[in-house]
Amino acid sequence: MGLVVLAAAIVPGALKAQTASSDESVVMGYNPFPPYSFTNENGQADGFSIDIARELARELGITITFREYANPGAVLEALRAEEVELTTIYALTEARRDAGLFTKPIGAFTTSAFVLKGGPVLEAKDLASRRIAATRGSYGLTVAGQTPFAEIVLQDSLTASLLPLLSGQVDAVVAPTNGFLRILRNHGLDTLVMPLEPSLAAQARGFIVSPARPALLSALDGAIADRLTDRQVAALQARWFGEPSSLLGDTRVLGMLAIAVVSLVLVIGALLSLVRVRGSARRAFASHERNRLLVDALDGIDMSIVIFDTALRPVYWNDGTIRSCPDLVKALKAGQTMTETIATTLIGSEPSEAGATRNVRARAEAMVRDALSGTETTRHLKLADGRVFELSEFPIGGDYVAAVRKDITRVETQAQKIREQSEALEQVNDRLRSFSIVAAHDLKSPLLQQDLLLQMAQEDMSAGKHTDALANMALVQRSNAALKRLMNDLISYSLEKDDADRPVRFDPLPRIQGVLDQISPPKGFEIALPKTMPQVTAAPEAFDIVMRNLLSNCIKHHDKPHGRIELHAKQDGTMVQIEIVDDGPGIPDGFERRIFSAFERLGPKSEESGTGLGLALVNKLVERWGGTVSASSPGPRGTVFHVAVPVADQGFRRRADGDIVPLNHSRSA
């Protein structure tokens, strides 16, 4: 494999002292990243990194087993979990240092900006304010984001960046230097596209070893340092990443290539007008090298593109069709026409009912007629498996018809989530609008009262009636104190949100005792608590607010200087029912629910009256934890407040409006 010279670099005695016996097995994790690492057509791990790993393993006298993962993050997680003991060659970044032990660097990954030769971008500074393509989640995206005022165009793969660059949709592609050069060379495009010098970034690369295998790290470091030269690494890179194309040496080939590129750009321009990747025409599908370039480009697009001839027979489908619609590929290989494939797709999304097949066939024929006539249509289709596709059919020149399918399931799912959130937000806004109207009305009264009192005090001062002026100022102070209480309650009512989101299990009895310590019931009032109470699950702070408001309400609205308040609690199914019973004047008929509305009061306002928000806040908090609160006056005197709190150890869920409620809670959000 080009690394036989490594055999002489390893001292057998030293390795035997640091590694296990020759039958030891080491598991190496890798992810698809051609040509560094990938699984070949024989199902075997292959590539630049794999070759180095195999040669080193052979010289170390161990057996290496390769295990494929989806991406580098998954490989590193496997290394942390000790599922693997060694990774493929990765960039040795600080963010990965916690995953394992770094070997000595084996060269570096460089990231470059690729541009069209002869284009407007000649050096890195020219990238400012340009449109730059980069692959999602890649290090190239991080590098591209450091370009001042640049517009970043996200791509799903390196290959997908070719079309935007060749068609002028972007001015540059920021990508791993060797990886993108390999793609360009494979397509013969490195004569048209070049990397800017110097590279934009360089990051040392090497293997990452499990922390549990320091001896393996030491052995690898010794072999890398002693025998693995830059020249040998360069030779391997040439093997795996290819040599520069030599088309420029032949002016005839260059002329043909120029014609091919111009044709390709024209094709791409028309394709992009519909789904950003559509071509306008390919008169003959495999008769010319320029068509080969287009075929290679279409294969790299992450969507399904099928080309039919005028007889509606399939003549080409790209790799995106194979990846996203394998069942469709089987039908195409079986010779299904364009009409039949559209009908099959529609049937997969239609409910099964009498006459459905005949109706679907008619719809498919109408779509084909539209496509042949030059009418471009785009529609969304949800399949039985839940996936959502955007479908389009349109003519290419006069000889072909294209059918394009793009999987937009993620976009549709996100759109549905946004719609649900918008509806929930509108409900919240409606409640806020109602609340603001009522709050403004109730705030107006004390402000007008203070204004009148201040005018009277001013008149008294002018008339020399200082005693009357001081009396009016005292009234202003008392009115201001009431206004402060109202403002505090408004803030609590409108901004309360965090407590109800954190339900925990607790014993309510100690918390109720703490509430009584805070409110300090006046002498003459007796509070009777049970010896024990069932444990509940709620937000403790919200529970305290509820108990404090209810107990204070019983004391504040009592019509005598002495009284008795009793608390009872029992479990009823999934709820703990807490009752607060007083011997006060009771609640008039018809007011049992009204007292829980904002700004509702019983009796006339006074300096000591509440703001009308305390019980509204209670109702809001109890509903948010999935419970209920009510009041009744069963006798000639006395009031009973009933509060339902979820029992301990219940499961919870988050509603659309953000509230966390028990799993069995059925009240609509």
Side-chain angles (χ1 to χ4, degrees):
M1 304 296 290
L3 286 178
V4 178
V5 292
L6 287 178
I10 301 173
V11 181
L15 291 178
K16 290 178 180 178
Q18 298 181 45
T19 61
S21 60
S22 61
D23 60 350
E24 179 186 7
S25 178
V26 174
V27 180
M28 175 179 172
Y30 73 99
N31 62 281
F33 185 40
Y36 288 96
S37 58
F38 61 97
T39 302
N40 62 26
E41 62 275 11
N42 298 321
Q44 301 296 317
D46 211 347
F48 174 81
S49 301
I50 302 300
D51 275 359
I52 291 181
R54 282 192 174 123
E55 195 64 32
L56 292 176
R58 184 182 302 115
E59 298 302 331
L60 291 172
I62 61 177
T63 302
I64 189 165
T65 302
F66 296 94
R67 186 175 298 172
E68 182 178 3
Y69 291 83
N71 51 58
V75 175
L76 294 174
E77 282 301 316
L79 188 69
R80 294 186 183 96
E82 298 186 9
E83 296 175 9
V84 301
E85 297 152 286
L86 181 67
T87 73
T88 184
I89 290 179
Y90 283 148
L92 303 179
T93 63
E94 286 300 317
R96 290 171 172 168
R97 194 170 291 279
D98 68 327
L101 308 172
F102 292 175
T103 65
K104 290 183 179 298
I106 306 175
F109 287 118
T110 60
T111 302
S112 298
F114 289 82
V115 299
L116 289 175
K117 292 183 178 179
V121 180
L122 302 178
E123 51 186 326
K125 68 179 181 63
D126 297 333
L127 294 173
S129 76
R130 300 283 185 176
R131 288 171 56 85
I132 302 175
T135 304
R136 300 177 191 276
S138 67
Y139 181 63
L141 177 59
T142 301
V143 175
Q146 298 171 358
T147 304
F149 312 111
E151 179 183 353
I152 307 302
V153 180
L154 296 178
Q155 302 293 330
D156 291 328
S157 66
L158 291 179
T159 305
S161 302
L162 279 174
L163 284 175
L165 182 61
L166 294 173
S167 64
Q169 296 297 311
V170 298
D171 300 298
V173 175
V174 174
T177 307
N178 287 330
F180 201 63
L181 276 175
R182 177 177 180 269
I183 294 173
L184 293 172
R185 289 165 181 169
N186 285 347
H187 295 290
L189 295 176
D190 59 323
T191 57
L192 301 175
V193 179
M194 68 176 185
L196 295 179
E197 296 291 344
S199 60
L200 299 180
Q203 179 65 55
R205 66 189 182 191
F207 297 101
I208 304 178
V209 182
S210 169
R213 299 299 306 273
L216 178 60
L217 173 70
S218 179
L220 288 171
D221 280 347
I224 293 170
D226 292 341
R227 288 291 184 176
L228 192 58
T229 66
D230 292 342
R231 183 175 181 180
Q232 291 166 336
V233 173
L236 279 175
Q237 288 189 166
R239 175 191 174 196
W240 280 107
F241 294 98
E243 296 288 349
S245 302
S246 58
L247 292 179
L248 290 177
D250 189 333
T251 56
R252 292 174 300 173
V253 175
L254 180 60
M256 293 178 63
L257 184 58
I259 295 173
V261 171
V262 172
S263 300
L264 175 62
V265 171
L266 292 175
V267 169
I268 293 169
L271 279 172
L272 287 171
S273 67
L274 190 57
V275 274
R276 298 182 179 178
V277 287
R278 300 173 181 169
S280 68
R282 255 194 321 143
R283 299 280 181 183
F285 225 81
S287 62
H288 198 275
E289 179 61 21
R290 64 187 181 188
N291 294 330
R292 184 68 258 163
L293 290 174
L294 178 58
V295 169
D296 290 344
L298 292 177
D299 281 342
I301 298 175
D302 192 21
M303 65 178 67
S304 168
I305 301 177
V306 183
I307 308 297
F308 298 89
D309 60 19
T310 52
L312 304 182
R313 295 171 302 198
V315 295
Y316 166 77
W317 53 87
N318 69 337
D319 288 349
T321 305
I322 299 173
R323 292 191 296 268
S324 62
C325 306
D327 292 338
L328 176 61
V329 173
K330 294 178 182 178
L332 295 172
K333 288 182 177 179
Q336 272 196 357
T337 65
M338 181 178 179
T339 304
E340 291 168 340
T341 57
I342 293 177
T344 300
T345 301
L346 293 175
I347 291 173
S349 66
E350 296 285 340
S352 178
E353 56 185 27
T357 302
R358 183 168 57 255
N359 180 56
V360 165
R361 177 76 184 189
R363 288 176 57 193
E365 291 174 348
M367 293 175 188
V368 172
R369 285 195 300 271
D370 288 342
L372 292 174
S373 67
T375 302
E376 296 185 3
T377 58
T378 300
R379 62 200 173 280
H380 293 175
L381 196 67
K382 185 173 183 179
L383 302 184
D385 61 7
R387 291 186 297 167
V388 181
F389 281 86
E390 180 183 274
L391 276 64
S392 300
E393 297 84 28
F394 52 93
I396 300 179
D399 301 322
Y400 300 97
V401 179
V404 178
R405 300 184 182 194
K406 182 177 181 180
D407 190 338
I408 59 171
T409 306
R410 290 178 58 188
V411 176
E412 283 295 304
T413 301
Q414 186 66 23
Q416 179 61 29
K417 184 177 180 180
I418 291 174
R419 286 192 292 269
E420 293 173 355
Q421 291 175 340
S422 297
E423 292 174 0
L425 180 60
E426 185 59 32
Q427 294 176 4
V428 172
N429 287 336
D430 286 341
R431 292 196 296 269
L432 286 176
R433 282 191 289 267
S434 300
F435 171 79
S436 62
I437 292 171
V438 177
H441 178 271
D442 218 68
L443 285 170
K444 185 177 180 180
S445 178
L447 291 173
L448 290 174
Q449 182 187 38
Q450 290 183 27
D451 184 59
L452 179 60
L453 289 170
L454 288 172
Q455 290 180 23
M456 293 172 62
Q458 187 177 14
E459 292 173 358
D460 290 338
M461 289 293 292
S462 299
K465 300 177 181 179
H466 300 292
T467 302
D468 292 342
L470 290 174
N472 285 327
M473 291 301 296
L475 291 175
V476 171
Q477 289 179 335
R478 285 195 289 272
S479 177
N480 186 56
L483 182 60
K484 287 181 179 179
R485 291 198 301 273
L486 175 60
M487 293 300 298
N488 288 335
D489 282 350
L490 283 172
I491 293 171
S492 297
Y493 181 81
S494 62
L495 297 182
E496 184 284 317
K497 59 182 180 179
D498 293 331
D499 292 338
D501 283 343
R502 300 182 180 89
V504 298
R505 173 181 177 177
F506 62 89
D507 183 349
L509 190 55
R511 301 202 70 89
I512 293 175
Q513 291 170 335
V515 168
L516 290 174
D517 292 339
Q518 293 174 4
I519 64 177
S520 299
K523 292 181 179 180
F525 277 85
E526 179 184 359
I527 312 296
L529 301 179
K531 293 183 178 179
T532 61
M533 296 178 69
Q535 291 199 338
V536 298
T537 302
E541 294 81 3
F543 180 84
D544 291 352
I545 294 173
V546 169
M547 292 295 110
R548 182 164 54 250
N549 273 277
L550 293 179
L551 290 168
S552 298
N553 191 81
C554 292
I555 296 171
K556 180 169 57 178
H557 294 288
H558 206 287
D559 57 349
K560 296 181 179 180
H562 55 81
R564 178 178 173 83
I565 300 174
E566 298 179 359
L567 271 77
H568 308 282
K570 64 178 180 179
Q571 183 171 341
D572 182 13
T574 60
M575 292 287 175
V576 173
Q577 301 292 339
I578 299 176
E579 292 184 351
I580 302 176
V581 185
D582 69 23
D583 57 357
I587 302 173
D589 292 340
F591 281 84
E592 289 85 352
R593 282 307 307 169
R594 288 179 57 183
I595 61 174
F596 293 102
S597 299
F599 301 101
E600 281 288 345
R601 302 180 181 87
L602 294 180
K605 296 182 183 179
S606 68
E607 294 177 8
E608 300 300 328
S609 66
T611 61
L613 286 171
L615 293 183
L617 178 60
V618 166
N619 186 62
K620 180 179 180 180
L621 289 172
V622 172
E623 283 190 348
R624 291 196 68 179
W625 70 44
T628 58
V629 61
S630 61
S632 63
S633 293
R637 287 185 62 81
T639 299
V640 181
F641 286 104
H642 309 269
V643 183
V645 190
V647 299
D649 300 326
Q650 274 210 87
F652 285 79
R653 62 183 174 86
R654 186 180 291 275
R655 288 195 318 227
D657 60 3
D659 288 355
I660 298 177
V661 297
L663 290 174
N664 63 349
H665 183 63
S666 60
R667 186 180 71 84
S668 62

